[in-house]
């Protein structure tokens, strides 16, 4: 099984859950030392592969590696994803490109490369999407749009793929990870990630849902926690019309609060003052190009 973004957060929990159940799990991330350390600490067989999923060549080599080293691919879990905190006009062109490259292009292309190995036999594709894809909330507007694209891909693939193939969509609300540090363009270490995690569900709960997808019999669309399920209705009129009216006037205020929260987390993660990556303040004040 291939789980993308396995060095931290939800991906690490999914890799742990699947490896503990006896599966051979290939994981990937860009930070190789951190990925290898994470893999060593997980139970069972975990094969860490350094890979930047925004690079087409590396995506192809990743799938080739899985087939050459392990002989087959039973499931692809498209977990790696990122976002930016800000109204669309707050973001620079690089941020827009990075988010779309990972959340949409890499997901679609990796799935395209994986499908020939999954069709003709029982196989699974799991998309880690988001409730934000159904209910876009500023200041995660661009992020929400990319997750809506993933949701569209899920439905399209269900309609075009063979009966043996199942396409699942796991949609978390907020999850306790270091997501907001990466959303600031940072590359946190384990310790920094622990200090700078967000509020929300435990990542293990998402991993449990992925496990249920892979051991069930049909396509599944689930939320984490389950009670967020009705959020899908908020994406449809008249609820979506009400949200348009209510959110537009407060969006700048919400964006300011969210940035403040993000800066607080970055400060907490810094602890000893060191964190890799661009300075958050520089990034957040950069004007769009
Ligand atoms: N946390 C939440 O509240 C939440 C809610 C709903 C949905 N989600 C979704 O759940 C998924 C996982 O989120 P998370 O919170 O666990 O994120 P996270 O803590 O930031 O972890 C992201 C993982 O992806 C890897 N990654 C990032 N960019 C990559 C790239 N270009 N190539 C390969 N690997 C890359 C990271 O490692 P490297 O940096 O070393 O590459 C890391 O292992 C994402 O799709 C996210 O959108 C999260």
């Amino acid at each position: 099984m291939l789980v993308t973004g396995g060095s931290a957060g939800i991906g690490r929990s999914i890799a742990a859950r699947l490896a503990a159940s006896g599966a051979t799990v290939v994981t990937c991330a860009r930070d190789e030392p951190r990925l290898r350390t994470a893999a060593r600490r997980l139970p069972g067989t975990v094969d860490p592969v350094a890979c930047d999923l925004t690079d087409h060549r590396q995506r192809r080599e990743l799938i080739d590696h899985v087939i050459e080293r392990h002989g087959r691919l039973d499931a692809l879990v498209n977990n790696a994803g990122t976002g930016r905190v800000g109204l669309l006009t707050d973001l620079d062109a690089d941020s827009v490109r990075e988010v779309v490259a990972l959340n949409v292009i890499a997901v679609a292309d990796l799935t395209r490369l994986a499908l020939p190995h999954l069709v003709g036999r029982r196989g699974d594709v799991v998309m880690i999407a988001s409730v934000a894809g159904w209910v876009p909330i500023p200041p995660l507007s661009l992020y929400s749009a990319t997750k809506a694209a993933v949701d569209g891909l899920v439905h399209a693939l269900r309609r075009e793929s063979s009966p043996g193939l199942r396409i699942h969509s796991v949609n978390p609300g907020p999850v306790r990870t270091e997501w907001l540090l990466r959303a600031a363009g940072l590359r946190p270490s384990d310790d920094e990630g622990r200090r700078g995690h967000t509020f929300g569900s435990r990542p293990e709960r998402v991993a449990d849902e992925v496990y249920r997808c892979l051991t069930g019999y049909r396509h599944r669309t689930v939320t984490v926690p389950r009670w967020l399920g009705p959020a899908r209705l908020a994406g449809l009129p008249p609820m979506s019309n009400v949200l348009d009216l209510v959110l537009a006037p407060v969006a700048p205020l919400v964006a300011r609060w969210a940035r403040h929260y993000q800066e607080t987390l970055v400060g907490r993660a810094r602890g000893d003052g060191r964190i890799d990556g661009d300075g958050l303040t520089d990034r957040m004040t950069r004007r769009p190009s």
Side-chain angles (χ1 to χ4, degrees), residues 2 125 127 134 140 174 197 200 223 247 264 272 282:
L2 173 57
V125 176
M127 305 289 193
W134 298 330
L140 295 178
H197 64 67
T223 56
L247 289 174
T264 307
D272 61 2
D282 290 346

Side-chain angles (χ1 to χ4, degrees), residues 83-111:
R84 291 291 181 272
V85 177
L87 307 180
L88 194 61
T89 47
D90 294 332
L91 306 183
D92 60 23
D94 285 344
S95 297
V96 173
R97 196 173 48 244
E98 284 162 24
V99 173
V100 174
L102 183 60
N103 293 10
V104 182
I105 297 172
V107 168
D109 194 44
L110 194 70
T111 305

